[in-house]
Amino acid sequence: MIGLISATAAGTAARDRLAAAWPDRTRVYEGPVREAVERAFEECEQLVCFLATGAVVRLVAPLLAGKAVDPGVVCVDEAQQHAVALLGGHGGGANALARAVSDALPGCRPVVTTATDAAGIPGLDTLGWPVEGAVAAVTRAILDGDPVALHADAQWPLPALPPNIRSAATDPAPGPGSGTSGDVPPPPRAERPTPVATVAGPGSDAPGAADGLAAASAPAVDTTGPADTTSAAVTAVTADTTVVADTAAARATGAAPASRTADATSTAVLWVTDRTVPLGERAAVLRPASLAVGVGASRGVGAEEVLELIREALAEAGLSARSVAELATADAKADEAGLVEAAQRLGVPLRTYAADALSAVDVPNPSGAPLAAIGTPSVAEAAALLAAGQGAELLVPKRKSTPENRPAMATAAVARRRPRGRLAVVGLGPGARDLLTPRAREELRRASTVVGLDQYVDQIRDLLRPGTRVLESGLGAEEERAGTAVAEARAGRAVALIGSGDAGVYAMASPALAEASDDIDVVGVPGVTAALAAAAILGAPLGHDHVSISLSDLHTPWEVIERRVRAAAEADIVVTFYNPRSRGRDWQLPKALGILAEHRAPATPVGIVRNASRADESSRLTTLAELDPATVDMMTVVVVGNTSAREVAGRMVTPRGYRWQT
Ligand code: SAH
């Protein structure tokens, strides 16, 4: 809930505006300001105060309890020009709230002073994964440009990290199928023309320097040698306690040798691992959501017994509970209160599987009891493996709880997911920055690698995080771009494949997805395609059935194109021609217009839009009879009306056919 507090008439008007915009998320606190702030601070996750920052600082100062628990606080000034994220920028969500408030109040701008946000660097606590250890010290080092040694078990699809975070070593694979770069086929670049690789951001000229995490290209440091595993056990941070790492157990799961330290040159260390690792004074660890815990239970099992079993299983294997992404069990146990509560207390979902799905999984320790009870020889191991998905690795085989003086009621097993790369296919819109969707912008910042045509990269280069790898190539290299994007994602990276307009319209989405296998996650972000951008400029030409036809016969035989033009002509459908005419391809447009003219009057309106939404945008309305093909080029779309399309007050209108209009 967001608490709203105001004092003045102007503040109260703005407050009411916000309350009306977000009726379910806000609560208005009336009465004397001090008490209102105190109550809201106590009751809400976030506050928006329509008060001066100074006043709010004084009011909340005595209430502050700590970064992890204080609400996020945003102040809005009397003229509503600024929404200031005052407190709890990341943890309290105040930075995001300041932006949302600005969107809701016209003319208002967010003021965000958190260093990582201002520098365009992803805060360690904004990556969606738990982070532990010396977060502030490591963040400081990142911001100061100090070397930060990165130890990642695998290539995780994280956003671009700044160039001073360098992969310190390619850690040994924690086990087969664990998804380190070694077991993913490297991008088959040798067979493709190499795209130009650059790294976005000031002061960086080293391609690959910020290659996401633990890049395939990172020099492999030999960590398999005789590590000093006899040294004293060291303190390691796990989920809820500080424990002493058992080096033998750590070895069993491939955990780092206890004596492992960062590069000699590095002062700060960032781990990305689900293992318990030694954390020095300047070390932080990001916990990927990599573990699935399968649980079996007898009816009436207590949550504490389940949780204790999970704690033991993880601790002995040297794994962190903060990397547990879900609990998994059989459908028959979906309502088992002890399991439901255990999942709740771990803060993860409880996923359930049908008995026949569980029985189909090959497990090391099948048994007769669950087979008799619910029809599968394995619950814990099978559910863990199913939940962890393709390429999962069983790290902890089935074990039973060990309650005192009574039979065990729970079993658990732990599986590790193979990291999945992420391919976002992002439409950039026709050109204007304000026609780039917020979601596209987010995806560009979410990526560590951007693949695209050089001129499209230019369109958005300033939006990329410092350290983003940019793989750009020229016109004609479509196949290579599609292959590169997919290979980069298969190597575990977060990739954005960009295209102008909508990336799925005569663009890269289909060649890329035709190559993509199901071992990567794919996200599509729609963009404003040229036909829509042009239509909005022309008026309402697409008010009834319409079709887009590309006149490029590079990839499609002309006979096919002609057949489609003829079909559209006969069906009286509005047609938008993409790729209408180039220097070497000039007869297709007149030919296509001729086919349409066989079924439409010479006076049929035709709209021509060049460079829609770009600096040199131009548009013209003409007719089928009068169109001069010389005015059309590859930066243009041509929209031909149907038989009922008309010019009204200089605009092109295709009637929708409402009865009240006839
Ligand atoms: N994916 C793009 C289309 C790529 S095909 C989209 O969804 O818009 C390239 C053709 O699109 C160009 O030859 C031109 O016909 C059209 N086009 C792309 N952007 C345009 C713009 N801003 N103005 C006019 N036409 C455009």
Side-chain angles (χ1 to χ4, degrees):
M1 192 53 65
I2 305 172
L4 306 179
I5 299 111
S6 65
T8 65
T12 301
R15 177 199 76 183
D16 292 344
R17 192 179 188 124
L18 212 57
W22 301 337
D24 302 329
R25 297 165 50 203
T26 50
R27 185 181 303 152
V28 168
Y29 286 81
E30 309 258 19
V33 168
R34 175 177 299 279
E35 282 139 49
V37 168
E38 283 171 4
R39 270 187 296 134
F41 202 90
E42 173 71 27
E43 294 168 10
C44 297
E45 291 82 50
Q46 295 180 318
L47 273 63
V48 179
C49 302
F50 297 88
L51 302 165
T53 50
V56 178
V57 167
R58 288 178 205 292
L59 288 169
V60 302
L63 310 175
L64 299 180
K67 200 169 166 162
V69 291
D70 291 335
V73 178
V74 168
C75 292
V76 178
D77 67 299
E78 181 76 1
Q80 293 129 53
Q81 283 183 321
H82 299 109
V84 184
L86 188 71
L87 188 70
H90 290 156
N95 294 347
L97 181 61
R99 292 192 184 97
V101 168
S102 303
D103 287 343
L105 301 176
C108 187
R109 292 169 61 101
V111 178
V112 171
T113 57
T114 315
T116 47
D117 284 60
I121 288 169
L124 293 178
D125 52 351
T126 63
L127 298 173
W129 288 345
V131 55
E132 308 169 70
V135 180
V138 173
T139 302
R140 186 76 258 155
I142 295 171
L143 285 171
D144 289 349
D146 289 350
V148 177
L150 179 73
H151 295 282
D153 286 344
Q155 177 75 54
W156 292 97
L158 285 174
L161 298 174
N164 55 316
I165 303 184
R166 299 293 297 264
S167 190
T170 303
D171 283 8
S178 61
T180 51
S181 44
D183 53 23
V184 174
R189 284 214 211 116
E191 299 151 30
R192 309 171 186 279
T194 312
V196 182
T198 51
V199 178
S204 165
D205 55 2
D211 186 11
L213 295 175
S217 58
V221 172
D222 181 12
T223 51
T224 56
D228 181 13
T229 47
T230 55
S231 69
V234 294
T235 304
V237 174
T238 61
D240 31 36
T241 48
T242 298
V243 300
V244 172
D246 173 341
T247 48
R251 271 200 309 281
T253 54
S259 61
R260 174 80 169 274
T261 53
D263 286 355
T265 51
S266 301
T267 49
V269 179
L270 178 61
W271 291 87
V272 184
T273 181
D274 53 24
R275 297 171 292 139
T276 48
V277 289
L279 283 186
E281 264 176 31
R282 298 193 72 199
V285 55
L286 276 166
R287 295 298 187 192
S290 58
L291 303 176
V293 178
V295 280
S298 310
R299 184 171 311 213
V301 70
E304 201 41 58
E305 180 170 343
V306 176
L307 288 167
E308 182 55 30
L309 171 63
I310 294 172
R311 268 194 289 268
E312 281 167 18
L314 293 170
E316 273 183 38
L319 296 167
S320 166
R322 302 197 75 176
S323 276
V324 173
E326 56 197 335
L327 290 197
T329 188
D331 281 349
K333 302 289 171 187
D335 299 325
E336 188 61 47
L339 295 186
V340 172
E341 187 187 333
Q344 245 165 20
R345 282 169 59 185
L346 283 170
V348 299
L350 177 66
R351 231 162 89 171
T352 66
Y353 295 95
D356 51 353
L358 293 169
S359 2
V361 183
D362 200 13
V363 296
N365 301 297
S367 94
L371 186 61
I374 54 172
T376 168
S378 167
V379 175
E381 289 180 348
L385 285 167
L386 279 182
Q390 214 179 40
E393 177 194 8
L394 194 66
L395 295 180
V396 182
K398 181 180 74 176
R399 54 187 288 148
K400 287 187 178 155
S401 53
T402 50
E404 276 173 39
N405 308 325
R406 58 178 176 80
M409 294 181 79
T411 56
V414 183
R416 180 185 275 148
R417 290 175 173 169
R418 180 189 180 122
R420 288 166 68 85
R422 190 168 197 276
L423 176 62
V425 185
V426 182
L428 302 180
R433 184 50 66 82
D434 61 354
L435 291 181
L436 176 83
T437 66
R439 191 178 298 185
R441 198 182 269 259
E442 278 297 305
E443 281 299 339
L444 294 172
R445 296 181 65 72
R446 173 75 187 70
S448 69
T449 303
V450 169
V451 181
L453 187 65
D454 39 18
Q455 70 201 57
Y456 300 153
V457 172
D458 288 340
Q459 206 174 312
I460 47 85
R461 204 181 296 273
D462 61 301
L463 295 177
L464 303 179
R465 284 190 196 279
T468 306
R469 273 169 84 232
V470 179
L471 304 175
E472 50 190 310
S473 43
L475 265 177
E478 283 79 21
E479 190 189 346
E480 169 257 314
R481 271 198 298 282
T484 301
V486 171
E488 291 285 325
R490 294 196 71 207
R493 304 199 174 95
V495 180
L497 175 61
I498 60 171
S500 85
D502 183 274
V505 176
Y506 307 121
M508 296 307 299
S510 35
L513 298 195
E515 269 195 48
S517 36
D518 64 0
D519 57 354
I520 57 171
D521 293 327
V522 173
V523 179
V525 181
V528 178
T529 187
L532 299 185
I537 292 163
L538 293 169
L542 308 182
H544 213 294
D545 299 334
H546 54 276
V547 67
S548 293
I549 297 179
S550 167
L551 291 184
S552 168
D553 52 4
L554 274 179
H555 308 288
T556 312
W558 175 254
E559 302 75 64
V560 173
I561 299 174
E562 187 172 320
R563 197 167 72 228
R564 291 176 185 171
V565 175
R566 203 168 291 285
E570 285 167 4
D572 198 25
I573 298 176
V574 177
V575 182
T576 304
F577 289 116
Y578 282 69
N579 300 305
R581 182 172 180 271
S582 69
R583 239 175 291 141
R585 225 169 19 78
D586 58 1
W587 56 264
Q588 288 86 347
L589 179 63
K591 174 90 183 165
L593 294 173
I595 295 169
L596 291 175
E598 290 170 23
H599 299 267
R600 299 180 196 185
T604 302
V606 176
I608 299 175
V609 179
R610 186 168 191 278
N611 278 329
S613 93
R614 297 177 188 148
D616 48 353
E617 168 187 306
S618 63
S619 68
R620 237 157 352 98
L621 204 51
T622 174
T623 63
L624 256 185
E626 281 166 16
L627 184 146
D628 174 7
T631 59
V632 173
D633 64 9
M634 279 298 275
M635 321 299 281
T636 312
V637 282
V638 177
V639 187
V640 183
N642 64 10
T643 51
S644 53
R646 295 195 298 271
E647 182 186 328
V648 180
R651 301 184 192 100
M652 185 170 171
V653 179
T654 302
R656 175 74 180 82
Y658 293 112
R659 242 174 277 137
W660 48 263
Q661 283 192 315
T662 55

